[in-house]
Amino acid sequence: MNIVLSRDNQVRIMENTVANAEKYYGQFCTLMASYVRKTAKLRDKSDLLVKQLLDYANTENPELRSTMKNFAEELAKVQDYRQAEVERLEMKVVEPLKLYGVRLKQTRAEIKRFNSVRNNEIKQLEKLERLRQKSPSDRHTISQMAKDYQEKAQAESSVHKASVDASRTTQQLEETIDEFQKQKLRDIQKIFSDFVTIEMVFHAKALEVFSSAFQTLEDYDLEKDLEDFRAKIHIASGNYNARPGSALNPSPTLPWSTGSQTVQSVLQKMVLSEEDPEENTLQDLSDTEYAPIRR
């Protein structure tokens, strides 16, 4: 019976090991699958942001248009890296965790088979113990004694066989659980090492691209776009000079620059100055001839 109790302790440890792995590895699988889905959703939202940036760039001035297009291209590169991140996480993290569903099921089947063999051994031991405890007074005849002896021998044989089966099954189960535990420890190490490596590679690449995107925004010439915008506003509002600047400040040498003279009087003088000199002479003589009369 001591051997049976020892096997009970073994089975209890094995069952706890499998139950613990089933609980936590199942949670790891669920959480990592959710992590990958949310990362994929972030990639999709970022793709929409890139599209909106490109649409917006087409509505702006040349300087900002060029800057926003370059910035959007950098963000698109990050999403390419994020897509690779999603695919690698799915392949190297989520899928190996999913395999534990099958592996745990197989290990539980091995434990169940061992429990069946162990229960048979216990049953045979209990039967033999009952035969041994049977009182001699119950044996009324020689034939009954012979029958009891035969049953006892058969029970001992069954116990021996059950014990051999239990020992063999125990050894097989120990090997199975040992391999399961060793593989479990290796897998948890590799799975999360791959997870960290994938994330480091993505963030290193993303940091490089984000640095370039930041520099693109830093190089943007805001004043140049602002000048273009102000020029458009002035033209649209009609706020511009209708004549050259020199026309607003006429030269004092021009005839119409004299403040006390009207344009008409100046023109009349110019016409008179261009008349025939002989007519001017006759006019002077006429003025002299008729001078007394005027007086």
Side-chain angles (χ1 to χ4, degrees):
M1 290 298 293
N2 291 334
I3 296 176
V4 174
L5 293 176
S6 176
R7 287 171 183 165
D8 284 344
N9 292 332
Q10 283 181 312
V11 171
R12 192 176 299 109
I13 293 172
M14 294 174 184
E15 288 178 337
N16 289 338
T17 299
V18 173
N20 191 64
E22 187 175 25
K23 175 184 176 181
Y24 287 101
Y25 278 62
Q27 291 177 352
F28 290 151
C29 184
T30 301
L31 290 173
M32 292 309 303
S34 177
Y35 183 95
V36 173
R37 286 195 301 271
K38 290 183 183 297
T39 303
K41 287 182 180 179
L42 178 59
R43 173 207 59 203
D44 295 340
K45 293 297 182 183
S46 298
D47 286 340
L48 291 176
L49 175 60
V50 169
K51 183 178 181 301
Q52 289 297 315
L53 286 171
L54 291 174
D55 290 344
Y56 169 68
N58 292 328
T59 66
E60 283 293 341
N61 293 325
E63 191 72 17
L64 183 58
R65 183 186 308 128
S66 176
T67 298
M68 296 310 294
K69 284 186 176 181
N70 292 336
F71 177 66
E73 288 176 0
E74 297 294 343
L75 289 186
K77 290 179 184 177
V78 175
Q79 305 325 307
D80 291 339
Y81 290 130
R82 203 184 300 277
Q83 174 62 24
E85 175 197 16
V86 169
E87 293 174 356
R88 290 169 183 167
L89 287 174
E90 185 70 30
M91 179 177 63
K92 293 192 174 184
V93 177
V94 177
E95 286 300 323
L97 287 171
K98 284 181 179 179
L99 294 177
Y100 267 85
V102 177
R103 190 170 297 166
L104 287 166
K105 186 176 180 180
Q106 293 173 346
T107 306
R108 281 197 174 279
E110 289 292 326
I111 294 176
K112 185 177 180 180
R113 186 170 68 87
F114 171 76
N115 282 332
S116 177
V117 173
R118 185 197 59 175
N119 290 336
N120 182 56
E121 180 187 21
I122 293 173
K123 181 180 178 181
Q124 296 301 327
L125 284 171
E126 290 175 347
K127 182 178 179 180
L128 178 60
E129 190 65 23
R130 284 196 304 270
L131 290 174
R132 285 175 177 175
Q133 292 178 356
K134 195 171 184 181
S135 174
S137 60
D138 295 336
R139 302 167 186 168
H140 300 292
T141 62
I142 296 176
S143 60
Q144 183 66 37
M145 292 176 62
K147 183 179 179 181
D148 290 344
Y149 178 79
Q150 186 178 4
E151 287 179 353
K152 183 179 178 182
Q154 186 177 359
E156 288 177 348
S157 176
S158 297
V159 168
H160 178 72
K161 182 180 179 182
S163 297
V164 171
D165 289 343
S167 297
R168 184 177 63 253
T169 306
T170 300
Q171 184 178 359
Q172 292 174 352
L173 184 59
E174 286 177 355
E175 293 174 356
T176 300
I177 291 296
D178 184 77
E179 182 63 27
F180 171 81
Q181 181 70 2
K182 183 168 63 175
Q183 189 64 43
K184 184 191 77 172
L185 298 177
R186 286 177 179 172
D187 287 344
I188 199 68
Q189 180 187 31
K190 186 175 188 307
I191 287 171
F192 283 102
S193 293
D194 288 342
F195 169 72
V196 173
T197 301
I198 292 168
E199 291 298 289
M200 285 194 300
V201 169
F202 165 73
H203 287 290
K205 293 289 186 181
L207 180 60
E208 181 180 347
V209 177
F210 278 133
S211 298
S212 178
F214 178 81
Q215 192 60 48
T216 298
L217 295 175
E218 284 291 299
D219 294 340
Y220 168 57
D221 189 353
L222 182 148
E223 292 299 329
K224 186 174 181 180
D225 261 350
L226 196 57
E227 288 176 5
D228 292 343
F229 176 75
R230 287 170 178 168
K232 290 178 181 179
I233 291 294
H234 291 163
I235 292 174
S237 63
N239 186 16
Y240 58 93
N241 295 330
R243 64 176 69 177
S246 59
L248 298 177
N249 299 305
S251 173
T253 60
L254 295 177
W256 53 76
S257 64
T258 305
S260 60
Q261 295 178 337
T262 65
V263 175
Q264 185 176 3
S265 63
V266 172
L267 290 175
Q268 288 176 351
K269 288 183 179 182
M270 291 177 66
V271 171
L272 291 175
S273 65
E274 292 176 357
E275 291 180 352
D276 191 348
E278 293 182 358
E279 292 181 1
N280 292 337
T281 303
L282 292 174
Q283 182 66 34
D284 292 339
L285 292 174
S286 175
D287 290 341
T288 303
E289 182 178 356
Y290 291 102
I293 298 175
R294 289 180 182 175
R295 286 193 296 267

